[in-house]
Amino acid sequence: MFYKSTRNSSVRVESAVAIAKSISEEGGLFVPESIPMLSMDELRALLGKTYAQRAAYIFSKYLTDFTESELRYCTERAYTTKAFDTENIAELAHLFDGTYMLELWHGPTCAFKDMALQILPYFLTTAVKKLSLEKKVVILVATSGDTGKAALEGFKDVPGTEILVFYPEEGVSDMQKRQMTTQEGENVAVCAVKGNFDDCQNGVKQIFTDKDVLAIMEQGGFAFSSANSINWGRLVPQIVYYVSAYVTLAEDGELNYGDQLNVVVPTGNFGNILAAYYAKQMGVPIGKLICASNVNKVLTDFIRTGIYDRNRDFHATISPSMDILISSNLERLLYLLADEDDAQIQKWFGLLASTGCYEVTDAVKEKLTELFYGGFCDDTETKETIGKLYQEYGYTCDTHTAVAVKVYQDYRKETGDITKTLIASTASPFKFSGSVLEAIGAESGETDEYAKVEQLKQASGLKIPQSLAALQQKPRRFTDSIEKTEMRQFALKKLHLS
Ligand SMILES: *Cc1c(COP(=O)(O)O)cnc(C)c1O
């Protein structure tokens, strides 16, 4: 299996190169040249297998240049009960009739990013070794809150790597900030940026493609890679849990092989929902893909009109990991929907860069609305939804997951579609204790984060994740805060290159 670039279809690299480089030279994203199929018999054969075994099987179809033993090495080290607090790695909870929560936050940082970022360092170091690169890999991360911490945990003290994370100073939750600024490890650095997530993402992209920086890096024996979902190594692990969830639901008698399953995903950078799209294209009977946004609803508008327009106000919400106006992974979807027309992609993304806006063709619009439903909700509706789930079903969910539940309810009302449905639950409610407490009417004016965590434990009956509890004792190691124009300089200084 080879990988092409969304901006140059004649590029042909193996997956190890796609993962190590993370972005193609001309700025495109790597995509597999074809989507491998998964037959109903193969799905059935995954029954009774562990999550790590299911993952290795899916990966063997995409990462064909990795040997079986390399894939086993990666999956067996990543998906363990040392890192995840459940043997199933991802949990399925029944919400109401025919509606299931896919809990993707049982990993070390309590957000779904762990599903991919626990394994990416193994993929990356294996790829570097396979390619005999003899270089130190530098991971630059722009985070809206959860990726940063998950990447830091995944890469901390991994030999041959350095990791540097930029987060928007005012754009993450208290717990997220605490998670990142107390990070341990000798090869890690964290820095706050006076700006929003898009500023951080743009800054990182600029450093990535700066010719002078690249020359300095080359001289120093360093090479950049990315832990953001532009890296194929981030995306492919996310396909696994959709396949695995389908098999588990069949195993539990909740559906029969072949039955359709709709999937709802609270969306920001479009990585998670794109993985569901890949699972569908592989042959998993996934029906409608329901894309849920908060008031930064650039994707809702895009799915409904075919016009992507980032020229709008940016809103800081209580679901901060979805406060994004440029969804990078949309480029991969559009490349596929536009029949791999790389010139078309160059044109649209050129327009996005220069004017902030583009409109896709009627043919693409048609495919888009057939596959996807887009909806959004505001903070008030998000809180109402958390409160309702808590009162009516005794289920406590975080703010991002609540956005997905609300949009799903709207979808069901609007369409009458009662197909069984899987909702991606993307974070532990303890990461957003303050907002969740308010939503369930249990806040008591406490300002200390850990008092809130304790209160949420009492109210929800849930266990406080061990990794979050442990942070209370840890000292803050990283206090830097910089202007968005200073990111390049900061990165060079941290890497001792200036
Ligand atoms: C990252 C994140 C999202 C958005 O996922 P994308 O893959 O960027 O669309 C949603 N919820 C939580 C909790 C997240 O951390």
Side-chain angles (χ1 to χ4, degrees), residues 108-109 148-149 152-153 156-157 165 167 172-186 188-191 449-450 466-480:
T109 76
K149 177 61 182 180
L152 288 161
E153 270 307 301
K156 83 169 171 215
D157 294 329
V165 172
Y167 70 92
V172 300
S173 81
D174 286 348
M175 187 59 89
Q176 288 174 321
K177 195 176 281 187
R178 192 185 285 254
Q179 280 185 308
M180 289 188 280
T181 55
T182 58
Q183 178 65 42
E184 290 160 352
E186 291 308 309
V188 305
V190 174
C191 181
E449 184 66 13
Y450 277 91
Q466 211 279 326
S467 59
L468 296 186
L471 293 181
Q472 196 171 6
Q473 313 304 334
K474 292 189 179 164
R476 240 179 108 190
R477 291 183 66 203
F478 300 100
T479 52
D480 287 302

Side-chain angles (χ1 to χ4, degrees), residues 11-118:
V11 166
R12 213 173 132 81
V13 300
E14 291 194 312
S15 79
V17 176
I19 290 171
K21 286 177 66 169
S22 84
I23 190 160
S24 187
E25 256 140 49
E26 74 303 317
L29 305 184
F30 291 112
V31 286
E33 59 183 351
S34 62
I35 298 179
M37 294 304 292
L38 202 55
S39 70
M40 233 25 91
D41 284 342
E42 286 177 286
L43 272 182
R44 281 198 189 89
L46 293 176
L47 230 160
K49 294 229 161 58
T50 64
Y51 190 86
Q53 288 166 335
R54 289 175 181 181
Y57 190 75
I58 308 294
F59 296 154
S60 73
K61 291 177 176 274
Y62 283 101
L63 314 181
T64 50
D65 50 326
F66 283 59
T67 65
E68 204 185 312
S69 81
E70 283 169 342
L71 289 180
R72 222 177 318 120
Y73 166 84
C74 295
T75 50
E76 284 174 3
R77 271 163 190 74
Y79 299 122
T80 66
T81 48
K82 226 173 86 195
F84 291 81
D85 69 9
T86 161
E87 224 165 284
N88 296 327
I89 307 302
E91 280 294 336
L92 272 167
H94 292 205
L95 190 60
F96 35 81
D97 205 26
T99 306
Y100 313 94
M101 284 290 195
L102 178 57
E103 295 179 352
L104 299 168
W105 41 262
H106 290 277
T109 76
C110 307
F112 92 92
K113 307 291 197 294
D114 289 326
M115 301 301 294
L117 282 163
Q118 278 298 300

Side-chain angles (χ1 to χ4, degrees), residues 5-11 24-29 331 334-335 338 340-354 357-358:
S5 162
T6 51
R7 299 192 195 179
N8 179 358
S9 296
S10 64
V11 166
S24 187
E25 256 140 49
E26 74 303 317
L29 305 184
E331 179 164 343
L334 294 181
Y335 180 71
E340 313 201 338
D341 184 346
D342 52 0
Q344 186 66 266
I345 295 297
Q346 279 181 29
K347 192 175 132 213
W348 289 336
F349 286 84
L351 280 170
L352 181 66
S354 60
C357 184
Y358 62 88

Side-chain angles (χ1 to χ4, degrees), residues 179-291:
Q179 280 185 308
M180 289 188 280
T181 55
T182 58
Q183 178 65 42
E184 290 160 352
E186 291 308 309
N187 63 337
V188 305
V190 174
C191 181
V193 175
K194 296 182 177 47
N196 61 34
F197 170 72
D198 290 317
D199 296 326
C200 294
Q201 181 157 266
N202 281 335
V204 164
K205 266 192 200 152
Q206 273 165 23
I207 300 171
F208 250 150
T209 49
D210 184 312
K211 293 240 157 45
D212 296 336
V213 176
L214 292 177
I216 298 170
M217 294 274 293
E218 178 75 30
Q219 256 179 6
F222 290 93
F224 280 131
S225 191
S226 170
N228 283 96
S229 54
I230 54 169
N231 193 327
W232 180 253
R234 253 293 293 281
L235 211 83
V236 72
Q238 298 182 171
I239 300 172
V240 176
Y241 47 75
Y242 291 109
V243 178
S244 182
Y246 191 91
V247 173
T248 303
L249 286 172
E251 194 172 342
D252 293 348
E254 298 294 334
L255 47 75
N256 297 310
Y257 283 100
D259 288 354
Q260 293 280 302
L261 181 68
N262 288 343
V263 171
V264 192
V265 185
T267 298
N269 227 348
F270 209 77
N272 202 0
I273 195 164
L274 183 70
Y277 170 78
Y278 269 96
K280 177 180 165 80
Q281 298 313 111
M282 289 178 80
V284 180
I286 289 172
K288 206 76 173 177
L289 295 159
I290 299 165
C291 176

Side-chain angles (χ1 to χ4, degrees), residues 403-422:
V403 169
V405 173
K406 171 69 172 106
V407 168
Y408 171 56
Q409 287 169 335
D410 291 346
Y411 167 78
R412 220 165 127 148
K413 227 180 268 161
E414 195 178 310
T415 61
D417 182 0
I418 52 158
T419 305
K420 289 187 175 151
T421 297
L422 186 70

Side-chain angles (χ1 to χ4, degrees), residues 429-446:
F430 287 104
K431 280 193 103 161
F432 307 93
S433 300
S435 301
V436 174
L437 279 173
E438 269 179 50
I440 63 177
E443 91 272 39
S444 68
E446 278 287 0

Side-chain angles (χ1 to χ4, degrees), residues 111-113 146 266-272 321-322 324 398 400 426-427:
F112 92 92
K113 307 291 197 294
D146 290 324
T267 298
N269 227 348
F270 209 77
N272 202 0
S321 301
M322 293 152 64
I324 290 176
D398 93 292
H400 305 76
T426 50

